[in-house]
Amino acid sequence: DTEVTQTPKHLVMGMTNKKSLKCEQHMGHRAMYWYKQKAKKPPELMFVYSYEKLSINESVPSRFSPECPNSSLLNLHLHALQPEDSALYLCASTGVPGGTGELFFGEGSRLTVL
Amino acid sequence: AQSVTQPDIHITVSEGASLELRCNYSYGATPYLFWYVQSPGQGLQLLLKYFSGDTLVQGIKGFEAEFKRSQSSFNLRKPSVHWSDAAEYFCAVEEYGGNTPLVFGKGTRLSVIA
């Protein structure tokens, strides 16, 4: 199984809503990532979890709250978002934190904030 | 700091024609180099990677890339483009043995015409 699965694929939410994005992998990878991608732009790193601990937070606003309940699962909790937060949110994983190898990406969750 | 430059924002080629996408990096040490492809509305898929050894690397879908240290380049090539190759292509670099995540170029959008 070489997949990173993200749910939901599409999400529409109001600025006062609370929602969550979910990411799951069963490849035994110990590093998991959240990226944000706007249209016609490269992915921007948001968070990195290594061995289930937050290792990198790229100065992301607190309305985005990541969580790594276990080594296979990564969540991104969303609260009080702004319309400019509308984007494709990509999850990725890799085998060894700090090592160098292929990042496996999910298909993304497309978020629209009204 | 590492940086990756993809000089071409958009390239259009005819089906069956050859393709070369340019990538230049700025980094003092030996980088790890990657090419990813993203079809519309999808996540990123690794085409190929260079860590060391033979400077001409083969990837999936008939792509290859050549690492030229003297030119700080890692250009992606394909001898005959298929319509299904139309997508966004991202070059990325990672610090050798470091803990820093991938740095992506801004991407090159490939259009394929009949």
Side-chain angles (χ1 to χ4, degrees), chain A residues 7-9 29-30 47 59-60 62 75 78 82 86 89-90 99 107 110:
Chain A
T7 55
K9 290 195 184 309
H29 288 175
R30 302 312 300 271
F47 303 104
S59 303
V60 179
S62 60
N75 297 322
L78 315 170
Q82 304 297 310
S86 299
Y89 288 84
L90 293 164
E107 294 195 346
R110 184 161 299 282

Side-chain angles (χ1 to χ4, degrees), chain B residues 21-59:
Chain B
L21 302 182
R22 297 183 290 164
C23 173
N24 293 94
Y25 65 90
S26 171
Y27 186 64
T30 302
Y32 287 169
L33 297 158
F34 305 81
W35 275 100
Y36 284 86
V37 62
Q38 185 178 32
S39 297
Q42 302 292 309
L44 279 72
Q45 181 182 23
L46 182 71
L47 284 175
L48 46 78
K49 60 190 176 188
Y50 172 76
F51 289 172
S52 65
D54 191 347
T55 55
L56 184 64
V57 293
Q58 302 297 319

Side-chain angles (χ1 to χ4, degrees), chain A residues 25-112:
Chain A
Q25 58 86 14
H26 296 288
M27 295 178 279
H29 288 175
R30 302 312 300 271
M32 295 185 75
Y33 304 70
W34 280 116
Y35 284 86
K36 174 183 177 179
Q37 187 179 28
K38 302 285 273 186
K40 301 186 190 302
K41 299 289 187 184
E44 298 173 23
L45 183 65
M46 301 175 71
F47 303 104
V48 181
Y49 272 83
S50 298
Y51 296 105
E52 294 128 65
K53 294 194 186 311
L54 184 65
S55 60
I56 295 177
N57 176 343
E58 292 286 348
S59 303
V60 179
S62 60
R63 57 186 185 268
F64 294 92
S65 175
E67 179 197 17
C68 190
N70 59 59
S71 59
S72 300
L73 200 53
L74 184 67
N75 297 322
L76 187 63
H77 302 298
L78 315 170
H79 175 52
L81 294 193
Q82 304 297 310
E84 59 264 29
D85 296 322
S86 299
L88 182 68
Y89 288 84
L90 293 164
C91 175
S93 69
T94 193
V96 178
T100 299
E102 175 180 355
L103 274 184
F104 289 80
F105 282 86
E107 294 195 346
S109 293
R110 184 161 299 282
L111 173 66
T112 302

Side-chain angles (χ1 to χ4, degrees), chain B residues 24-98:
Chain B
N24 293 94
Y25 65 90
S26 171
Y27 186 64
T30 302
Y32 287 169
L33 297 158
F34 305 81
W35 275 100
Y36 284 86
V37 62
Q38 185 178 32
S39 297
Q42 302 292 309
L44 279 72
Q45 181 182 23
L46 182 71
L47 284 175
L48 46 78
K49 60 190 176 188
Y50 172 76
F51 289 172
S52 65
D54 191 347
T55 55
L56 184 64
V57 293
Q58 302 297 319
I60 62 170
K61 305 186 181 189
F63 286 92
E64 66 178 26
E66 187 171 13
F67 170 59
K68 293 186 177 179
R69 185 186 303 276
S70 61
Q71 299 177 20
S72 297
S73 70
F74 188 57
N75 294 348
L76 182 71
R77 301 194 294 247
K78 186 169 185 178
S80 176
V81 168
H82 187 262
W83 64 266
S84 60
D85 294 323
E88 190 83 21
Y89 291 80
F90 293 100
C91 182
V93 62
E94 184 175 342
E95 178 185 353
Y96 169 75

